[in-house]
Amino acid sequence: MPAPDPSLTRYSRQFILPALGEAGQRRLMTSRALVVGAGALGCTALDHLARAGVGRITVVDRDIVEHTNLQRQTLFDEADANAALPKAIAARNRLSRVNSTIHIDAVIADLTPENAESLVATHRPNLILDGTDNLDTRYLLNDLAVKHAIPLVYAGVIATRGMQLTILPHTACLRCVFPEPSAAAHVETCDTVGVLGPAVAIAASLQAAEAIRVLGTDAAALASSPPPSLTEFDLATSRFRTLDLRKLHAPAARALCQCCGTRQFEFLSGSRPRPAASLCGSGAFQIHAAAPRTLALPALGSQLARLGPVQANEFFVRLHPRDGVELTVFADARAIIRGVETEAEARALYDRYVGG
Ligand SMILES: [Zn+2]
């Protein structure tokens, strides 16, 4: 019998599972996952993937750790919130202490049609895990995954309810199941109706289990594996159910899909107008730069410091234009404005302090 490989020892409880095995573990260790969103879903999924030994993980997130995140975003602690660290950086710091044998890249950015393709070209993921909480990004990720034939592991959570779906190159995509972003989901968000931490943890664990299954399975076996079902649950009633998507997976049904059928990648090509601003919490708006540009943060920091106290680090510049209002500007010329009532008010502050 050959001697056990010491690099595998830490994963012994996992690869003795017949579904994974030593060969599956080696596949995980040489695979690359792109995790978009390091909020509640992303945190739990990332923790599982790092511990499972996924060899290279890229974390993309646009936000900063806040105290209100700590209820459910399990990679972060009070020190991260006090230091106002970007979530991508705080997640990388934590995950590299969890598993120093893997490589973690942190990208502080909002996923957009402009940067999505270059993220794939640079990081060459074998799998994308959707940890976001906004519809525009989810449909953009679906376009990106289908176009490049990369498996996509999707989940969504609200209040006590959640769902999980895995999209493989040979199966129905998100738009086969939900052809258009739902108007209701734009209104009902975790900020307006709340979210239970354990509900997120369940959805994210379903995602992580799917990611380990997909990355640990060889390509030929995966292509002939039974198409995934959609899992739904509600912790208020302790009910789980599985929806059989066989009809939607059928090639005749998929041929009608705008994304995986006719391959019009509307969200990725930018032909769908992307809002110039998006709601990111109650009383908070993110304003996007009109055109891609990079700000010199130190110069902006000293310019704004003439107007009042600023908080600045290598990732952002923050100031309080007036009591209760906070403006945070990132190097990619995005800004998050908190404490305002309307998008117009947020836009006005952006124009005044960041400019076009
Ligand atoms: Zn489709």
Side-chain angles (χ1 to χ4, degrees):
M1 203 163 146
D5 179 342
S7 72
L8 291 185
T9 309
R10 64 184 290 158
Y11 308 113
S12 62
R13 301 300 184 279
Q14 174 173 293
F15 70 72
I16 56 172
L17 296 168
L20 190 65
E22 212 175 298
Q25 183 63 46
R26 288 185 198 285
R27 274 183 219 110
L28 280 186
M29 290 160 72
T30 53
S31 59
R32 297 175 299 274
L34 173 65
V35 177
V36 180
L41 283 173
C43 276
T44 299
L46 280 163
D47 194 44
H48 283 303
L49 297 190
R51 288 175 196 276
V54 171
R56 196 160 190 127
I57 301 176
T58 304
V59 187
V60 181
D61 192 279
R62 65 185 191 183
D63 273 326
I64 288 168
V65 181
E66 312 265 349
H67 283 91
T68 56
N69 301 148
L70 303 180
Q71 167 248 356
R72 64 198 179 284
Q73 302 188 11
T74 54
L75 292 180
F76 312 133
D77 58 28
E78 291 175 1
D80 297 322
N82 291 339
L85 279 186
K87 290 183 183 177
I89 302 292
R92 185 183 61 191
N93 293 348
R94 164 78 184 155
L95 295 171
S96 50
R97 290 196 297 274
V98 165
N99 191 344
S100 62
T101 70
I102 62 170
H103 187 91
I104 301 149
D105 291 306
V107 179
I108 307 166
D110 189 23
L111 189 85
T112 63
E114 289 77 33
N115 64 17
E117 294 277 12
S118 73
L119 271 171
V120 164
T122 307
H123 298 277
R124 298 179 297 115
N126 308 109
L127 176 130
I128 301 173
L129 190 141
D130 179 357
T132 65
D133 58 1
N134 80 82
L135 286 172
D136 296 311
T137 313
R138 306 198 126 148
Y139 280 81
L140 173 58
L141 281 179
N142 185 59
D143 275 2
L144 190 66
V146 170
K147 181 176 175 186
H148 295 281
I150 302 167
L152 170 65
V153 184
Y154 165 86
V157 187
I158 189 86
T160 56
R161 309 186 302 277
M163 68 161 74
Q164 193 280 318
L165 174 67
T166 301
I167 293 147
L168 299 175
H170 67 290
T171 70
C173 78
L174 188 65
R175 294 196 75 181
C176 292
V177 185
F178 307 108
E180 289 293 321
S182 117
H186 272 118
V187 179
E188 202 181 48
T189 71
C190 295
D191 293 296
T192 56
V193 301
V195 61
L196 191 69
V200 189
I202 288 174
S205 296
L206 292 172
Q207 281 184 292
E210 280 294 272
I212 291 168
R213 179 180 74 84
V214 169
L215 293 174
T217 304
D218 81 54
L222 192 66
S224 58
S225 64
S229 318
L230 179 102
T231 304
E232 278 187 335
F233 63 87
D234 187 347
L235 293 187
T237 54
S238 298
R239 253 193 214 133
F240 276 71
R241 66 173 187 158
T242 304
L243 302 181
D244 186 341
L245 300 182
R246 247 173 303 183
K247 278 188 187 149
L248 295 178
H249 289 307
R254 291 181 62 209
L256 303 173
C257 172
Q258 284 210 24
C259 180
C260 67
T262 60
R263 298 182 71 80
Q264 298 167 59
F265 303 114
E266 293 179 299
F267 294 87
L268 183 60
S269 68
S271 65
R272 283 262 180 154
R274 188 178 155 82
S278 52
L279 191 66
C280 56
S282 52
F285 294 86
Q286 176 177 244
I287 306 286
H288 309 278
R293 63 186 178 124
T294 305
L295 292 178
L297 287 181
L300 180 71
S302 27
Q303 188 189 328
L304 293 178
R306 287 188 230 123
L307 307 170
V310 299
Q311 183 188 359
N313 60 25
E314 61 188 294
F315 311 114
F316 66 82
V317 174
R318 175 178 282 173
L319 84 160
H320 295 88
R322 59 172 193 271
D323 270 0
V325 176
E326 178 188 273
L327 175 100
T328 309
V329 189
F330 297 86
D332 59 3
R334 270 181 310 124
I336 294 178
I337 295 131
R338 294 182 195 279
V340 292
E341 300 277 317
T342 63
E343 185 187 317
E345 207 184 333
R347 165 68 59 192
L349 288 170
Y350 180 90
D351 289 344
R352 186 180 322 154
Y353 292 104
V354 189

